[in-house]
Amino acid sequence: MKLEPIIQSEVMSINCSLWQDNSMSVKHFAFTKFSEVTEQCWLLFSLILLMFLASLTGNALIALAIWTNPVLHTPMYFFLANLSLLEIGYTCSTIPKMLQSLASEARGISREGCAIQMFFFALFGISECYLLAAMAFDRYTAICSPLHYATRMSHGVCVHLAMVSWGVGCIVSLGQTNYIFSLDFCGPCEIDHFFCDLPPILALACGDTSHNEAAVFVVATLCISSPFLLITASYGRILAAVLIMSSPEGRRKALSTCSSHLLVVTLFYGSASVSYLRPKSSHSPGVDKLLALFYTVVTSMLNPIIYSLRNKEVKTALWRTLGKKKL
């Protein structure tokens, strides 16, 4: 009979009792271990660290290249720079703590720290949903109303659209985080995830959480579906406009400017929809962790690659930025 799992369970139970105050509400949590095999943890640590550094470097370089090159001071690249900043915040809100958990036994997090992590994760994720919709609207205006593009997508309009994206993300994430952490958590204190995501935290709450789960589902539906419908409508109009173009070169250029954004939208919305909009009965901790790892690390790493490989202006700006650094 293996005693190690039993001993670990007893230790966690003791820790839970130590992490409760007089109201019996858990004040500290701990993330589950990825594996009991040390070699597997270090291999996973190395892979995630490499993807994390690649994501930070790629997104930071794109944002820097756009801000330092006047040629790229256009609405499309303004939104792309904002997207890169969101991706940096998105990964930094979750991955460092996961790397710490993989590299050491320090898997604990306070209730306040968990709430802060959840707030920033939701902030960057929801803001990205709406920013991707703003980027689709920009492409729609550029292709379907080119004569009015300069006035409809002026610098002021772009700034307001970006502020709305960030503002909606802030308001919704603050409300959701406050709503969830107003609950009591009676234990167990172990979070079956690698960061403080909404569903696994709700699973630890006391009593009936059906209203909270319904609120999470409604917010996820609105914040994922409504921007996605705007994106779909924009690209429907774009496709109709492209099909009636008489110039093959014009069609190629229009599709080229949209292909990168469409690929990013597919990766982001695909993984987010599967994670938050599928039935609760089909959820499993292993699948949820893999999906979360995909949309927090992999998509953030792929985005700068997608935009730099498929956009000559971005590639040129990146080379200029790197050249200046070498000097």
Side-chain angles (χ1 to χ4, degrees):
M1 180 177 180
K2 294 185 178 180
L3 296 177
E4 185 177 354
I6 299 175
I7 295 172
Q8 288 179 346
S9 176
E10 291 297 326
V11 170
M12 185 61 68
S13 176
I14 294 172
N15 286 338
C16 283
S17 64
L18 294 175
W19 287 346
Q20 294 175 344
D21 60 9
N22 294 330
S23 66
M24 298 304 292
S25 180
V26 172
K27 295 300 180 184
H28 283 74
F29 301 99
F31 299 109
T32 55
K33 294 188 71 173
F34 282 85
S35 174
E36 297 296 332
V37 181
T38 304
E39 291 75 11
Q40 291 180 356
C41 288
W42 279 109
L43 177 60
L44 192 58
F45 173 87
S46 302
L47 290 173
I48 294 174
L49 178 61
L50 287 174
M51 289 190 291
F52 177 59
L53 294 176
S55 173
L56 288 183
T57 304
N59 284 293
L61 281 175
I62 283 186
L64 182 62
I66 291 172
W67 293 121
T68 57
N69 285 272
V71 177
L72 300 184
H73 290 178
T74 63
M76 182 173 70
Y77 296 114
F78 170 79
F79 290 127
L80 179 56
N82 273 269
L83 179 64
S84 295
L85 294 177
L86 283 173
E87 293 289 6
I88 291 172
Y90 200 54
T91 53
C92 287
S93 65
T94 56
I95 303 306
K97 185 63 180 177
M98 180 176 65
L99 291 173
Q100 181 189 25
S101 300
L102 283 168
S104 67
E105 292 297 320
R107 296 181 289 118
I109 186 171
S110 67
R111 179 179 175 133
E112 294 77 13
C114 192
I116 291 171
Q117 187 185 58
M118 180 184 290
F119 167 76
F120 281 107
F121 172 76
L123 164 64
F124 294 122
I126 294 169
S127 299
E128 184 166 339
C129 287
Y130 286 94
L131 188 72
L132 289 172
M135 294 174 76
F137 177 72
D138 170 66
R139 291 298 83 210
Y140 157 74
T141 308
I143 294 171
C144 299
S145 303
L147 297 178
H148 303 286
Y149 181 71
T151 54
R152 291 183 180 177
M153 296 304 297
S154 64
H155 179 70
V157 171
C158 294
V159 171
H160 278 92
L161 286 174
M163 288 176 64
V164 167
S165 300
W166 287 79
V168 170
C170 183
I171 293 170
V172 174
S173 59
L174 185 62
Q176 281 289 80
T177 303
N178 182 66
Y179 190 37
I180 289 176
F181 281 90
S182 63
L183 300 170
D184 286 328
F185 299 92
C186 303
C189 61
E190 192 172 48
I191 304 170
D192 198 4
H193 210 34
F194 63 83
F195 68 94
C196 293
D197 201 3
L198 282 73
I201 293 296
L202 270 178
L204 304 180
C206 306
D208 182 19
T209 60
S210 57
H211 293 294
N212 301 83
E213 291 172 3
V216 170
F217 181 79
V218 169
V219 169
T221 301
L222 291 174
C223 291
I224 294 174
S225 299
S226 57
F228 184 72
L229 289 175
L230 290 173
I231 293 171
T232 304
S234 296
Y235 276 105
R237 296 291 298 274
I238 289 172
L239 182 60
V242 168
L243 290 176
I244 63 174
M245 286 182 179
S246 57
S247 169
E249 180 64 22
R251 287 197 296 268
R252 187 199 63 78
K253 186 176 180 181
L255 292 174
S256 177
T257 59
C258 298
S259 58
S260 299
H261 181 251
L262 272 175
L263 187 54
V264 169
V265 167
T266 302
L267 289 172
F268 182 80
Y269 276 94
S271 56
S273 299
V274 173
S275 297
Y276 294 103
L277 299 182
R278 75 183 195 273
K280 183 181 177 181
S281 58
S282 64
H283 281 256
S284 68
V287 173
D288 290 344
K289 289 177 187 177
L290 286 175
L291 286 170
L293 193 62
F294 182 81
Y295 63 74
T296 54
V297 185
V298 179
T299 57
S300 297
M301 179 188 68
L302 291 177
N303 286 356
I305 297 173
I306 292 169
Y307 276 105
S308 60
L309 288 180
R310 300 184 64 85
N311 192 302
K312 292 182 180 179
E313 291 178 325
V314 172
K315 281 192 288 188
T316 303
L318 285 173
W319 281 116
R320 286 177 180 173
T321 303
L322 291 172
K324 288 178 182 178
K325 288 185 174 183
K326 290 177 183 178
L327 294 174

